[in-house]
Amino acid sequence: MYIVQIAPECAPVAKVGGLADVIFGLSRELEIRGNEVHIILPKYDCMRYDQIWGLQVSMRDLWVPWYNSAIHCTVWFGFVQGRKCFFIEPHSPENFFNRGHFYGFQDDVSRFAFFSKAALEFMLKDNRRPDIIHCHDWQTGLVPVLLFEQYAHAGMGGSRACYTIHNFKHQGLTGEYALWATGLTNIAHYFNYDRLRDNFNHTAVNLMKGGVVYSNFVTTVSPTHSHEARFTDQSSGLGPVLNTHQGKFGGVLNGIDYDIWNPEIDPHIPERYGIETLDSKYVNKEALRDRLWLKKDYKPIIAYVGRLDSQKGVNLISHAIFYALRNNAQFVLLGSSPDPHINQHFWNLKRHLNDSPDCHLELGFDEELSHLIYAGSDMIIMPSLFEPCGLTQMIALKYGTVPIVREVGGLKDTVFDKDYSHKPWEERNGYVFQGADNAGVESAMHRAIALWYTYPDDFRQLVTHGMSCDYSWCRPGQDYLNIYEHIRCK
Ligand SMILES: Nc1ncnc2c1ncn2[C@@H]1O[C@H](COP(=O)(O)OP(=O)(O)O[C@H]2O[C@H](CO)[C@@H](O)[C@H](O)[C@H]2O)[C@@H](O)[C@H]1O
């Protein structure tokens, strides 16, 4: 099968969060299974160009219709750790992708509406006719709309669209101008509750809703979250639309790429280890302490790695730091936030805790350091308010770092409580709490820290249970292939 992934991120060249890992890992798995897979991305100026091999011009002159005119683009091709990627570079005064950051601009909707249109125009002009076009999140929500309404009639009628929602919080709410810009000029037709009109904000066009309505199949990234999205308030208002389209909606649990996230072969950690050589994990613990100036002491290290977004339970993360320090544990945090208030909050905390020998907050994005933290920590905390899937806990499990998570979304599907799960002991792999409050966090942290001190052998067993889990792309890769096969034009 010929599959094209259209996405705003791909690890490690353009990574903000978990979406990037998914694009890389899923594409790799689909290729291993004998499919031809291409990834189309914007050509950002802030990409990790050191991670692209053989970058060369693929199409020098691509003219992409935009409002009543067209924007001149160049399309580049390069390999990202073996994946075949196309990068779209527009030459226009707006400088859509030369801004030094991936997101966070007033015209983000225009930037990605343009990208969606450009990706399709490139496939059309380059005679690429994928069986499946798989697009992701609000940024590419217009792709299925444009495919069905415009490009199918121009010769791409054999391509089917799969749309994956990684985060319902951002839906790409915008004005009618996004329709005008991309040539969807029959406004009465599109700006309609059955199509792209937002159900709550009556003057807004909702790009994610367009993606849901027009795709042949829609997924979110775990079975529990697909249920939450339809039946709770966790889909930020998109529940009724999902219910209308329930026949083509489902949850597929993400995987992680064990070629990248694997302590047995990880080039970013000083000492490799596996279940049989678990003692070597503690060389990494010492290295982590050295790197972050933590005191060498007989204490567990608890970590947080991730975007510092309200979704992640920012106040609960802060509380976890102080709880750890009060209860004989060390704490390491690696995170960044585009939100100035949240950023300021953590900079204040960092200053406040600057002299603590048991705590280090690293505010920024650092892929290499994240590997050392997963390897060197004993536990990782994720008190998310909502979590569509979560990769952090799956990575932590592989590195023998015990997850302490809130029972929500994909966390519920992947972490099973040591004391309260109904699973057999060998399948219990972490700590789970329910309440989105300090008491919930404390109840689970208390049990985890106590086990570490009091029953180290049991703690070690819990660690090996986690390391034995299989959260590779093997199963989800097959799930997606089944979906593609189901919707494919036969
Ligand atoms: N400062 C930093 N430095 C280095 N690495 C950092 C980092 N901040 C985050 N990361 C990395 O980014 C990834 C985070 O992935 P998650 O899936 O846990 O969360 P995210 O909310 O970004 O993803 C969204 O999409 C994914 C994919 O579908 C869903 O799993 C998830 O629930 C949803 O919120 C991990 O690989 C982590 O190591």
Side-chain angles (χ1 to χ4, degrees), residues 274-490:
I275 293 182
E276 304 302 329
T277 50
L278 195 51
D279 285 338
S280 301
K281 178 171 168 70
Y282 302 99
V283 178
N284 296 297
K285 185 169 177 178
E286 291 307 280
L288 179 61
R289 284 179 164 146
D290 283 337
R291 168 97 187 253
L292 301 182
W293 307 286
L294 293 184
K295 190 171 164 196
K296 301 213 164 147
D297 211 343
Y298 183 69
K299 287 185 178 181
I301 300 182
I302 305 177
Y304 175 83
V305 178
R307 296 181 303 110
L308 295 170
D309 185 284
S310 55
Q311 165 195 346
K312 305 291 179 183
V314 170
N315 293 335
L316 301 179
I317 297 168
S318 312
H319 185 73
I321 298 174
F322 289 102
Y323 186 80
L325 297 180
R326 278 202 312 273
N327 288 276
N328 289 320
Q330 298 184 314
F331 203 100
V332 166
L333 176 144
L334 171 62
S336 55
S337 174
D339 179 326
H341 297 291
I342 298 181
N343 227 5
Q344 194 54 47
H345 169 76
F346 280 96
W347 275 105
N348 290 344
L349 263 187
K350 186 177 166 73
R351 269 190 290 275
H352 178 70
L353 293 165
N354 201 25
D355 296 331
S356 168
D358 286 327
C359 182
H360 184 93
L361 310 188
E362 186 71 23
L363 302 179
F365 189 91
D366 189 335
E367 179 89 17
E368 283 79 13
L369 176 60
S370 75
H371 287 248
L372 181 60
I373 295 178
Y374 287 118
S377 307
D378 298 288
M379 305 159 202
I380 203 149
I381 182 127
M382 289 182 80
S384 306
L385 304 186
F386 70 93
E387 195 60 77
C389 177
L391 303 179
T392 307
Q393 82 283 8
M394 298 202 253
I395 300 171
L397 287 166
K398 184 70 179 168
Y399 282 75
T401 300
V402 173
I404 304 171
V405 306
R406 180 153 177 265
E407 191 178 42
V408 68
L411 299 173
K412 185 175 174 184
D413 294 333
T414 51
V415 182
F416 307 105
D417 190 87
K418 160 171 178 295
D419 300 312
Y420 300 119
S421 169
H422 298 302
K423 298 254 178 198
W425 165 233
E426 312 75 62
E427 291 176 33
R428 300 184 191 185
N429 56 14
Y431 289 90
V432 179
F433 61 95
Q434 287 179 342
D437 48 30
N438 292 349
V441 172
E442 289 184 15
S443 69
M445 286 181 76
H446 171 75
R447 291 186 292 130
I449 296 171
L451 189 76
W452 190 90
Y453 275 110
T454 323
Y455 298 104
D457 288 344
D458 287 4
F459 190 87
R460 201 178 164 99
Q461 271 197 33
L462 201 58
V463 165
T464 57
H465 295 170
M467 294 175 85
S468 312
C469 294
D470 179 2
Y471 290 124
S472 69
W473 272 106
C474 190
R475 208 174 129 184
Q478 187 59 51
D479 290 344
Y480 275 112
L481 279 175
N482 293 345
I483 290 170
Y484 297 164
E485 207 49 68
H486 172 66
I487 60 176
R488 186 178 172 179
C489 197
K490 298 202 176 86

Side-chain angles (χ1 to χ4, degrees), residues 191-243:
F191 193 56
N192 174 305
Y193 290 110
D194 289 340
R195 296 191 177 81
L196 282 92
R197 190 167 188 171
D198 190 75
N199 290 27
F200 299 96
N201 186 337
H202 302 295
T203 56
V205 169
N206 183 324
L207 301 189
M208 185 172 272
K209 178 173 173 180
V212 172
V213 171
Y214 279 90
S215 293
N216 300 93
F217 207 88
V218 182
T219 68
T220 188
V221 287
S222 69
T224 293
H225 196 59
S226 71
H227 187 270
E228 291 166 344
R230 283 184 58 196
F231 301 114
T232 75
D233 59 358
Q234 291 208 19
S235 55
S236 302
L238 223 55
V241 180
L242 296 171
N243 283 329

